Amino acid sequence: MTSRDDREEQRLAFLASAGLADAMRAPLPGDASTRRYERLTSADGRSLMLMDQAASAESPPCDPGWTPEQRHAAGWNAVARLSAGRIDAFAAVAAHLRSVGLSAPAMPALDAHAGLAVLEDFGDALFASVIEMGQDETPLYLAAVEALAALHDAPTPDVLSGPGGDWPLQTYDATALQGGADLFVEWMPKLDSRLAFDAAAIADWREAWAPVVEAGEAGATVMAHRDYHAENLIWLPNRDGPARVGMIDFQDAVRAHPSWDLHSLLQDARRDVSPALEAKALDHYFALRPQVDRMDFMRSYAGLAALNEARILGIFARLIVRDGKPRYRQFMPRMWAHLNANLKQPGLETVAAWFDRYVPVEARA
């Protein structure tokens, strides 16, 4: 395992090789991942980003040939976070996004083996930040929908090519979807003593989600950013059309159902999106993609959103209990509200019945 001092030596050597030995470095706040970022100011005044994601900080990515049993044996990344956040995955996804006219950071320097990259700096105009400062949120959300529609209409290759080499775009399949959902039954009882799920309850849980999981895998036809929300999108008003939406943190991209990024955007864990704006954004998506069967799409939208919300509640519980990050508790009521609303939608009666049986109403807030 690389020590902190050894890692800093790697960073310094990498920056020197990129002609940035004299750059000023300003670390950015961390998130829930093992990545870290620094803003670089070069000697000639350019602003860039250093992305640091050591491969050794994560369990291995999923091998496309592994069986579900092999994936479970290899660890969490092989089950559900298929790229393991690898920097070569980021580079390949970025190259694809740019190739279809979308805005992903250019990469002036990369050492994929070391897990280090210098990125174009999109600035600080995160959607969440500029909206908080008073900018009208509607045009931003509609632009984010336009970017998704453009991505969904573009060809989705099985293998992505980038400066770090080829990378397989794996399917967000039944193993990954159910593995994510299972975080709820694994971690929520460790956070909330009112909850306890025995083997029978867990078997019922998986049976209840089976139709949602099956539809999610069958409908996996487009590239999904997989973390598409207002804190991972940067407003670039000087660009045109969908390219006004700067995308970051897409290293976990997969082939998934086209509803995945939409419900991530419109049923956000970190900020409220009004039902009126959600409806307007969805109308905009279907106007841009009239070939889509809206009724069938919305059935999967509700089901996969509910599954994702259960997954995120499990992740937040894990962050609080295992990782000592209590700030994630503040986001849980919003996720419960989204989940409770989705459980009322057609097709989720069996899942709703599971919650009625095993999760008291007072624990769903």
Side-chain angles (χ1 to χ4, degrees):
M1 185 167 179
T2 303
S3 72
R4 181 177 300 180
D5 289 344
D6 288 344
R7 187 61 178 170
E8 176 61 11
E9 287 299 319
Q10 285 184 311
R11 295 186 199 106
L12 291 171
F14 172 68
L15 290 172
S17 71
L20 293 165
D22 297 328
M24 294 178 57
R25 298 166 59 189
L28 272 62
D31 59 9
S33 75
T34 56
R35 288 185 307 281
R36 64 188 298 276
Y37 292 94
E38 297 179 11
R39 176 161 278 133
L40 308 172
T41 304
S42 68
D44 60 4
R46 290 176 298 147
S47 184
L48 298 161
M49 301 294 292
L50 173 66
M51 182 180 181
D52 180 352
Q53 173 66 67
S56 60
E58 294 280 352
S59 61
C62 180
D63 185 306
W66 282 346
T67 65
E69 293 75 19
Q70 289 173 310
R71 286 165 65 179
H72 280 281
W76 170 247
N77 285 332
V79 172
R81 190 168 172 250
L82 306 181
S83 74
R86 289 276 292 271
I87 230 164
D88 32 359
F90 181 95
V93 175
H96 177 72
L97 292 172
R98 290 196 301 274
S99 77
V100 299
L102 299 175
S103 289
M107 191 172 292
L110 171 69
D111 184 336
H113 179 73
L116 294 165
V118 174
L119 309 179
E120 176 184 7
D121 185 1
F122 280 165
D124 294 320
L126 294 172
F127 277 31
S129 299
V130 297
I131 292 168
E132 187 175 343
M133 290 187 290
Q135 187 155 338
D136 183 0
E137 64 183 353
T138 300
L140 274 67
Y141 275 84
L142 296 184
V145 168
E146 290 164 14
L148 285 182
L151 180 60
H152 295 173
D153 281 338
T156 304
D158 294 328
V159 178
L160 308 175
S161 296
D166 290 347
W167 191 268
L169 184 68
Q170 298 197 63
T171 298
Y172 206 42
D173 60 7
T175 299
L177 289 164
Q178 189 63 62
D182 286 351
L183 291 175
F184 181 93
V185 290
E186 179 181 0
W187 285 97
M188 283 298 293
K190 298 174 183 178
L191 178 68
D192 190 335
S193 61
R194 293 170 294 186
L195 305 180
F197 309 128
D198 60 15
I202 293 172
D204 289 346
W205 167 263
R206 291 173 179 161
E207 183 177 352
W209 284 113
V212 175
V213 167
E214 182 180 356
E217 178 173 350
T221 56
V222 303
M223 176 186 280
H225 178 297
R226 216 170 81 63
D227 206 11
Y228 197 76
H229 57 75
E231 293 187 4
N232 277 342
L233 303 176
I234 298 175
W235 187 233
L236 304 172
N238 294 327
R239 301 191 183 190
D240 296 323
R244 293 174 298 167
V245 180
M247 301 183 191
I248 58 173
D249 282 1
F250 42 70
Q251 54 280 335
D252 292 324
V254 289
R255 183 187 296 272
H257 192 283
S259 70
W260 191 271
D261 282 342
L262 275 170
H263 65 66
S264 296
L265 176 71
L266 302 173
Q267 297 188 11
D268 197 336
R270 293 167 175 79
R271 69 178 309 272
D272 293 325
V273 177
S274 71
L277 178 54
E278 181 180 14
K280 186 169 188 175
L282 287 168
D283 285 344
H284 193 47
Y285 180 81
F286 292 116
L288 292 167
R289 304 193 75 220
Q291 72 274 26
V292 175
D293 182 322
R294 181 167 185 158
M295 183 175 295
D296 182 64
F297 185 100
M298 289 306 297
R299 187 180 181 96
S300 287
Y301 177 92
L304 290 170
L307 184 147
N308 190 41
E309 285 140 14
R311 180 186 74 91
I312 291 171
L313 285 166
I315 289 173
F316 288 166
R318 183 174 66 184
L319 285 166
I320 296 164
V321 173
R322 187 191 70 183
D323 300 336
K325 297 182 177 181
R327 73 184 187 90
Y328 287 93
R329 192 182 288 272
Q330 68 184 302
F331 304 128
M332 297 182 81
R334 186 178 290 111
M335 281 289 91
W336 274 117
H338 289 317
L339 176 56
N340 291 335
N342 282 313
L343 291 178
K344 298 175 182 177
Q345 299 303 310
L348 288 173
E349 293 83 1
T350 305
V351 180
W354 186 93
F355 277 90
D356 288 341
R357 181 176 181 184
Y358 293 108
V359 183
V361 172
E362 59 271 20
R364 303 187 218 171

